[in-house]
Amino acid sequence: MALRRSPLLSAVLAAAVAGSLAVTAGGAPAAGAAPRTVAATAQDVPTTGFRFVDITARDGAVLKANVIAPTTAGRHPAIVFVNSWGLNDAQYLVQASAFAKRGYVVLSYTTRGFWGSGGEIDTAGPKDMADVSTVIDWLLANTAADPARIGASGVSYGSGIALLASAFDQRIRAVVSMSTWSDLVYSLYGNDTRHPQTVWLLDTAARLLGRPSAEFEALVQAYFANQNIDGLTAWGRVRSASTYLDAINRNRPAILMANGYGDTIFAPNQLVDFFGRLTVPKRLELAPGDHVIAEGLGLLGLPNHVWDSAARWFDRYLAGKATGIDTEPPVVLRRPGTDAVEAYPDWAHVASSTQRLNLGAPNWWDGTGPMRTADQGSWSKQISTGTNTTADAGVILLSNGLSALTGITPTIWLPTVNRRDAGVWVSDPLPGGGAIRGCPRLHLEINASQPKGTLIAYLYDMDWLGAAKLIGNTPITWLEPTNTLDLTMEAMAYDVPAGHQLVLVVDTVDPLYLGATASGGTVTFTGGSRLELPLR
């Protein structure tokens, strides 16, 4: 039975999500960062109030929507908001009202298959793309929206649909995508490693709050069974903005993307690559936290740096106002534990140098090896496979989310990591600390007893007591025999305090990932293995 639309219930659900997963991170720019121009605060214009409407899709499915508009005369810029996975069109009531008072016609709709909207969940597929165009058609036919000034936006699921739709509908002139993806295959199979908690969460929400299609349910079963990989990959490519990069560049919408470094659903490296290949007006903002952390409280109307950027972006590229955002460096980074903002002309300038730390032979008393700039010669370190260690990537949404909310980072005491099941390497103390900016690269020389397997690399910041704070983690899976692995870790911006040491832990099991490692095997690391750190 279809769920009825309940704006009150959806607003409560949105508040619960935002309240448990979000944190504001505004603040003054750091020294050397581009000056930040706050969006013009024009007086509120009168609005129509909300009107809840039904929009009939091309295949007859009825989409639930709401619209609010200025009552002033003339054509107005317009924004289409698309719901997050499991929520509905009431999710954006607060922000829609705020944008309407700024002079925008705002339409929010519930995607097919969720809540009261008809049809089955298409997971940002071709039917969803057609629905976006249908919604824009309705908007232009029934409101004072200016056809030359249409924007699209959303959080999470809605953000991906908005980004994808800019390839299929030339009328979309500006996009703001928050906690988004550009490569769904990377999100599901990053480095050939499955992310089971992500898929379980999406499947559970779909079953509780929507109507998943038979195709979706079959693909979920295949994902957990590690079957039909080619079919899953083809399905994901159709739903990836990176597949349609040429079309997006031809259409030239202005695109702003904002994500968290620790996003456990849509890891940020896919956006770094996508951003680099965009030739349209663009901006990339990365902040501490997990999925929907940076922008979450903004859904409730609280001060929020991502929604402030969204307002400035739409004001510049839809309303034609001089907000200054188009003259600022387009890559914006925020660091954990500070409100400072860093801005760069492109991703290549985020790091100014690279330091190579060569992994060395473990000592005899506790099995810990060094990480040093000097050549470490010939050595080997063998670990057993299939056993988890205290090194841990955490729980989807919760670990990185609580870290951003509370400032308490997931921490281990390094002596608890079993050296029989993990390789551990520690740098010398850093007298002046270190500013890591970008994507560390790990090269491993290995001999594995099994033809396929998985390794998870964890980078820690350790104090003199052995307490190690997690900076970041990334898995890698090999599916045929190999003696070398090259892993690009997820993007990070982290300042290591003076006197602390960097720690690299590599093991074979983590609850966040479904790997290919079987128990009872071994992996031997050898000389030539190294970690390359991007530094500012």
Side-chain angles (χ1 to χ4, degrees), residues 73-209:
R75 291 285 181 178
H76 303 283
I79 301 171
V80 173
F81 281 119
V82 189
N83 64 290
S84 299
W85 190 269
L87 297 181
N88 64 27
D89 55 289
Q91 173 184 1
Y92 301 105
L93 289 177
V94 173
Q95 285 295 336
S97 177
F99 273 103
K101 291 175 182 178
R102 297 174 72 91
Y104 292 85
V105 177
V106 185
L107 186 150
S108 306
Y109 79 97
T110 303
T111 51
R112 62 174 53 234
F114 281 110
W115 292 76
S117 285
E120 296 176 329
I121 297 169
D122 195 40
T123 321
K127 292 180 181 179
D128 280 318
M129 295 304 100
D131 289 347
V132 174
S133 293
T134 297
V135 167
I136 294 175
D137 291 342
W138 187 96
L139 181 73
L140 296 177
N142 294 277
T143 73
D146 186 340
R149 296 185 291 168
I150 303 294
S153 185
V155 173
S156 187
Y157 182 49
S159 73
I161 290 176
L163 188 60
L164 276 159
S166 69
F168 293 92
D169 198 315
Q170 297 179 359
R171 295 172 295 182
I172 298 175
R173 306 314 312 145
V175 174
V176 174
S177 288
M178 303 172 240
S179 290
T180 194
W181 79 90
S182 60
D183 186 341
L184 191 57
V185 178
Y186 182 85
S187 300
L188 298 174
Y189 284 104
N191 297 319
D192 291 317
T193 310
R194 288 174 293 159
H195 296 58
Q197 294 183 27
T198 296
V199 176
W200 178 86
L201 182 65
L202 297 176
D203 182 47
T204 300
R207 292 173 182 274
L208 289 175
L209 301 168

Side-chain angles (χ1 to χ4, degrees), residues 192-324:
D192 291 317
T193 310
R194 288 174 293 159
H195 296 58
Q197 294 183 27
T198 296
V199 176
W200 178 86
L201 182 65
L202 297 176
D203 182 47
T204 300
R207 292 173 182 274
L208 289 175
L209 301 168
R211 293 174 302 284
S213 66
E215 178 191 41
F216 178 85
E217 292 179 332
L219 287 170
V220 169
Q221 292 177 6
Y223 183 85
F224 283 111
N226 204 23
Q227 299 172 348
N228 191 22
I229 305 302
D230 290 343
L232 279 160
T233 299
W235 179 86
R237 291 283 178 239
V238 170
R239 292 157 170 82
S240 300
S242 58
T243 301
Y244 312 103
L245 178 72
D246 290 344
I248 293 173
N249 283 335
R250 284 195 303 270
N251 290 344
R252 290 197 60 75
I255 294 176
L256 185 158
M257 299 181 294
N259 268 57
Y261 299 113
D263 195 318
T264 47
I265 295 180
F266 302 133
N269 278 10
Q270 60 185 297
L271 299 183
V272 170
D273 177 68
F274 182 74
F275 176 84
R277 295 188 293 145
L278 283 173
T279 59
V280 304
K282 59 186 180 180
R283 183 177 175 94
L284 175 65
E285 298 189 3
L286 296 179
D290 208 314
H291 196 63
V292 194
I293 289 298
E295 69 273 12
L297 288 181
L299 289 169
L300 305 179
L302 299 176
N304 182 268
H305 66 88
V306 178
W307 284 97
D308 181 58
S309 292
R312 297 173 64 220
W313 195 255
F314 283 136
D315 279 357
R316 169 63 186 87
Y317 289 104
L318 295 183
K321 297 178 181 178
T323 64

